Amino acid sequence: MKITDVLIIGTGLAGTYVALNLPTNLEITMMCHHSTNSTLAQGGIAISLDQKDSFEAHIEDTLTAGRHTNILEAVKTLIESAPDQIHTLEKLGVAFDYDAQKKIHATLEGGHSYPRVIHAGGDQTGQSVMSLLDQKVESAKNIQILKGASLLDLVIQNQKAIGIVYEMNETIKVIYAKHIVMATGGLGDLYEHTTNQEGSTGEAIAIAAFAGAKCQDMRYIQFHPTAYKNKDKGYFLITEAMRGVGAYLLDAHENRFMDYIHPLKELAPRDIVSKAIYDVIESTKKPFVYLDTRHLKTAFLKERFPNIYKTLEKDNLILGIDLIPVTPVAHYTIGGICTDLMGRTNLENLYACGEVASTGVHGANRLASNSLLECLVFGKNVAEHIVSNHENTSLPNYSMNPLDQWKHTKTTASQNYLIHKAYIQEIMTKHVGIVRYDNQLKLAKSKLTHLLHQLKNVRFDHVDHAKSYNLVSVSLMVVEDALAHESLGCHYKEKESEKKGLKSC
Ligand SMILES: Cc1cc2nc3c(=O)[nH]c(=O)nc-3n(C[C@H](O)[C@H](O)[C@H](O)COP(=O)(O)OP(=O)(O)OC[C@H]3O[C@@H](n4cnc5c(N)ncnc54)[C@H](O)[C@@H]3O)c2cc1C
C-alpha cells in the first residue's frame, strides 16, 4: 500500500507547476495516462507587461469575453499575479521570444484590446515551457511519476479525500495521500473533432462529482474557430495569433465575412468568430472557410509560426501563398470542479487547478491565452495552500479497503471502451455543438442515459466498463447543464422552429 504526502493527478502545466512549487521535503506522486494539452499550446500566455497596457484593460477584456459572468476576484487574481509567475518561469529557464528592443515580444489575439500574448519558440509555447518543466520534475528526487496510470475513483471518508483507486499495467491499486490535486485537464476528446490530445475526456470531473465535489458550468465548451483538418491525422489548431498578425477569414466566394459581424472583425471574441464560421458553413454547405494569409510575407510567417508552417507544408499548403481551409472544433472546457482562489474544492484535502477546475475566472467564454496563465496562477496558489496546511493535516485513516469492490474487476485489454467512446463522441458532436436546440439536447440526454443504465450494473466487472461509465457520466453532466441553463457565451441555444428538418425525440 502506497502513502504519499501530495498526489497530483495530471502532468500538464497545472500539475507540474504545483509540484515544482512545493518544498522538496514533501514526497510527491504524480500520474498521467495520456499526453498533455499543455504541450500543444501555441499562441502563448496573456499578460499585460507594456506600460501602455494595464491590468485594468486585461481584466476588462477578460470580462467582456466572459459576458461579464466571470467571478471578478478570480479575474483580478489571475491577471495581477501574472508577472510573478512569468518571472518564475524565466528563472526556471523558459526562454520567451524577444523583439528587436530586447523586450519580451507580445502579440495580439482575439478579444484583446492590446498585444499582450507572450510566446516561446514562435508558435511552440507549450512545448518550450513543458519540455523544461518536465525535465525538472523528472529529475526531482522527491517526485515519482506513474506513467500510464488511469484514475478510477476517489477514496473519501467523512467528506475528506484520503486516496485514489487507479489502474496501471492491468492492475488496480490504491494510493493514500494527505493532499490530492486534480490537474486532469479538459474534455475536448468527447467530441469527434477537437484540438485536444486523444484521451482528454474529462472523466476525472465525473469521478470528483461521484465523490461529492461540486461542479459547475459544464455546458461551457469552447470551440476554437480555426482548426485545420490534417490529411493523415486529426485536427490541427491554427493559433489565433495568425489572425493577430493580420490573417483574414474568407467564405467560399473569398469574401471577408467578419467585416459585417463584429467591429473587431477576425479578432472578435472566439465564440463570435466560431458562430460566424458555423453560419457560413451552414449556408455554403462547404465544410470549411478559408484562412487567408496571402497578403502577408511567407518568410515572416515561416519564422513567426515555424510549427504551423511545417505542418501545412507537409500537406502542400504554403503560408503566404495558399488559402488554408479551417473549421471550428471543440477546444477548451470552461466548467469543471468548483474551487476557490486557492484551488480548494468543497471536499477537505481535495484541490483542483488548470483546465479541470472552475474558479469562475472565464465566465461564459474564455479570453484567448488566459488558460496557461490559469494553470500557473492557481497552480501556485494550490501549492501555497498545501504548504500552509501540511502540518495540520493528519495521515489519512486507511482502515477501510477501497479495493473491495474492484477485487473481481477484469483488466485485460478489450475494445469495449473504444466502442463506447466513439458512440459518445458521435452524440456530443451531433447534438451538443456550437448551436444547440432543446430537442437535440434531450435526445442526447436520452441516448446517454440509456448507455449509463446499461453500464451501471456491470461497471465493476471490467475496468473498461468503469471507464466508459465515467465518460458517459461526464458527458451527461455537460448535456444536463446545457438543458438547464441559457448559453451566455461559447455556444448558442436556438429555438427548434429556427432549424428545419430536425426530428423531435
Ligand atoms: C492545440 C491547443 C493549443 C492551445 N494553445 C493555448 C495557448 O496558446 N495559450 C493558452 O493559454 N492556452 C492554450 N490552450 C489551452 C491550454 O493548453 C490548456 O488549457 C492547458 O494546457 C491545460 O493544462 P492542464 O495542466 O490543466 O491539463 P493538460 O495539459 O491537458 O494535462 C492533463 C493531464 O491529466 C492527465 N489525466 C487526465 N485524466 C486522467 C486520468 N483519468 N487518470 C490519470 N491521468 C489523467 C493527463 O494524462 C495529463 O497528464 C491550447 C490547447 C490546445 C489543445
Side-chain angles (χ1 to χ4, degrees):
M1 171 190 316
K2 185 172 169 59
I3 302 173
T4 190
D5 287 323
V6 184
L7 173 63
I8 303 173
I9 305 147
T11 56
L13 184 58
T16 306
Y17 205 64
V18 173
L20 292 175
N21 276 285
L22 287 168
T24 50
N25 64 332
L26 292 185
E27 189 189 302
I28 300 168
T29 304
M30 301 183 75
M31 67 166 55
C32 61
H33 72 4
H34 63 270
S35 307
T36 69
N37 281 331
S38 300
T39 318
L40 296 180
Q42 293 182 354
I45 305 177
I47 171 169
S48 77
L49 286 176
D50 196 285
Q51 282 180 348
K52 287 191 220 127
D53 194 10
S54 65
F55 287 156
E56 289 72 26
H58 189 178
I59 290 170
E60 192 49 41
D61 292 345
T62 302
L63 296 175
T64 303
R67 304 293 182 279
H68 288 267
T69 59
N70 324 52
I71 303 283
L72 184 58
E73 277 315 301
V75 178
K76 283 185 172 167
T77 302
L78 179 82
I79 286 160
E80 291 169 5
S81 316
D84 284 349
Q85 303 323 317
I86 297 307
H87 189 56
T88 304
L89 282 187
E90 285 195 293
K91 273 206 307 209
L92 286 168
V94 172
F96 288 103
D97 297 331
Y98 276 65
D99 62 17
Q101 284 77 44
K102 300 215 160 69
K103 288 200 309 200
I104 297 185
H105 181 260
T107 202
L108 198 59
E109 288 196 7
H112 288 276
S113 56
Y114 197 82
R116 64 166 76 94
V117 179
I118 64 170
H119 45 89
D123 55 358
Q124 296 164 99
T125 307
Q127 179 63 36
S128 309
V129 173
M130 288 310 295
S131 56
L132 199 111
L133 301 194
D134 283 347
Q135 272 174 25
K136 304 245 176 233
V137 288
E138 302 247 359
S139 60
K141 291 205 171 60
N142 63 322
I143 302 177
Q144 185 195 11
I145 306 175
L146 305 175
K147 294 184 180 164
S150 289
L151 173 72
L152 292 177
D153 209 357
L154 280 165
V155 183
I156 304 290
Q157 201 164 274
N158 304 328
Q159 288 284 298
K160 195 171 179 174
I162 62 165
I164 65 153
V165 175
Y166 71 104
E167 186 241 354
M168 190 173 162
N169 299 331
E170 299 189 356
T171 310
I172 297 178
K173 298 182 188 173
V174 65
I175 302 181
Y176 294 98
K178 283 188 174 181
H179 314 272
I180 300 174
V181 182
M182 303 287 255
T184 45
L187 53 69
D189 193 29
L190 287 180
Y191 287 81
E192 285 170 337
H193 309 147
T194 181
T195 58
N196 285 196
Q197 298 275 16
E198 193 178 338
S200 304
T201 41
E203 67 278 7
I205 302 174
I207 293 169
F210 295 148
K214 283 193 191 134
C215 298
Q216 68 183 5
D217 288 345
M218 291 300 293
R219 66 194 174 285
Y220 287 131
I221 310 295
Q222 186 171 64
F223 292 81
H224 195 287
T226 54
Y228 165 72
K229 171 91 180 70
N230 230 312
K231 276 195 182 140
D232 48 352
K233 290 196 202 129
Y235 284 85
F236 174 75
L237 181 111
I238 301 201
T239 172
E240 206 148 319
M242 188 73 78
R243 280 172 281 136
V245 301
Y248 303 143
L249 287 166
L250 306 182
D251 65 16
H253 309 292
E254 301 195 17
N255 294 319
R256 266 185 86 180
F257 53 90
M258 285 308 298
D259 280 7
Y260 313 105
I261 292 180
H262 195 276
L264 291 173
K265 302 178 182 173
E266 280 85 357
L267 289 173
R270 222 165 243 187
D271 51 351
I272 293 172
V273 181
S274 287
K275 172 68 162 50
I277 297 176
Y278 173 93
D279 288 341
V280 169
I281 287 174
E282 283 285 288
S283 68
T284 59
K285 302 291 170 215
K286 258 195 160 188
F288 49 78
V289 297
Y290 293 113
L291 193 66
D292 184 11
T293 57
R294 293 173 302 177
H295 51 293
L296 303 169
K297 293 224 162 31
T298 295
F300 160 71
L301 294 167
K302 187 175 179 180
E303 193 192 337
R304 177 66 184 81
F305 304 106
N307 188 37
I308 297 175
Y309 186 90
K310 229 181 336 163
T311 304
L312 294 174
E313 193 185 27
K314 282 192 197 135
D315 285 356
N316 296 322
L317 292 171
I318 305 296
L319 284 175
I321 295 177
D322 295 306
L323 290 173
I324 315 298
V326 289
T327 184
V329 300
H331 180 59
Y332 180 84
T333 310
I334 286 175
I337 305 169
C338 287
T339 72
D340 65 9
L341 301 183
M342 301 309 285
R344 284 180 297 186
T345 70
N346 59 310
L347 297 175
E348 207 179 324
N349 298 344
L350 184 71
Y351 298 82
C353 59
E355 195 169 332
V356 72
S358 175
T359 54
V361 73
H362 304 302
N365 177 48
R366 175 180 68 105
L367 182 67
S369 287
N370 266 353
S371 49
L372 292 177
L373 185 57
E374 161 188 46
C375 294
L376 298 171
V377 169
F378 296 110
K380 166 89 168 107
N381 283 0
V382 165
E384 256 179 44
H385 194 271
I386 288 175
V387 172
S388 68
N389 217 30
H390 188 65
E391 290 305 317
N392 306 328
T393 309
S394 52
L395 265 179
N397 169 2
Y398 46 87
S399 54
M400 59 205 251
N401 186 359
L403 292 182
D404 273 354
Q405 60 187 348
W406 300 91
K407 65 183 172 217
H408 300 301
T409 308
K410 291 195 182 72
T411 53
T412 44
S414 88
Q415 287 298 308
N416 288 334
Y417 172 75
L418 293 179
I419 293 167
H420 289 139
K421 182 177 160 189
Y423 178 60
I424 291 166
Q425 286 175 324
E426 188 191 317
I427 294 171
M428 296 300 284
T429 307
K430 225 184 206 166
H431 307 304
V432 200
I434 296 177
V435 175
R436 299 172 176 185
Y437 302 89
D438 264 353
N439 66 342
Q440 293 293 297
L441 291 170
K442 284 179 191 156
L443 188 55
K445 182 176 172 178
S446 97
K447 288 177 180 177
L448 292 169
T449 306
H450 185 69
L451 179 57
L452 188 82
H453 287 150
Q454 281 180 348
L455 289 166
K456 195 168 186 166
N457 295 330
V458 294
R459 67 191 264 229
F460 294 109
D461 292 359
H462 197 291
V463 77
D464 266 10
H465 292 329
K467 289 181 186 173
S468 299
Y469 185 79
N470 293 336
L471 278 205
V472 73
S473 300
V474 68
S475 308
L476 261 172
M477 288 170 78
V478 175
V479 173
E480 284 174 352
D481 196 53
L483 270 168
H485 298 96
E486 285 310 306
S487 282
L488 299 174
C490 276
H491 27 71
Y492 298 78
K493 252 175 141 177
E494 292 187 353
K495 300 242 170 353
E496 283 83 11
S497 56
E498 287 164 11
K499 171 122 182 172
K500 291 176 201 127
L502 280 182
K503 286 188 201 120
S504 102
C505 55

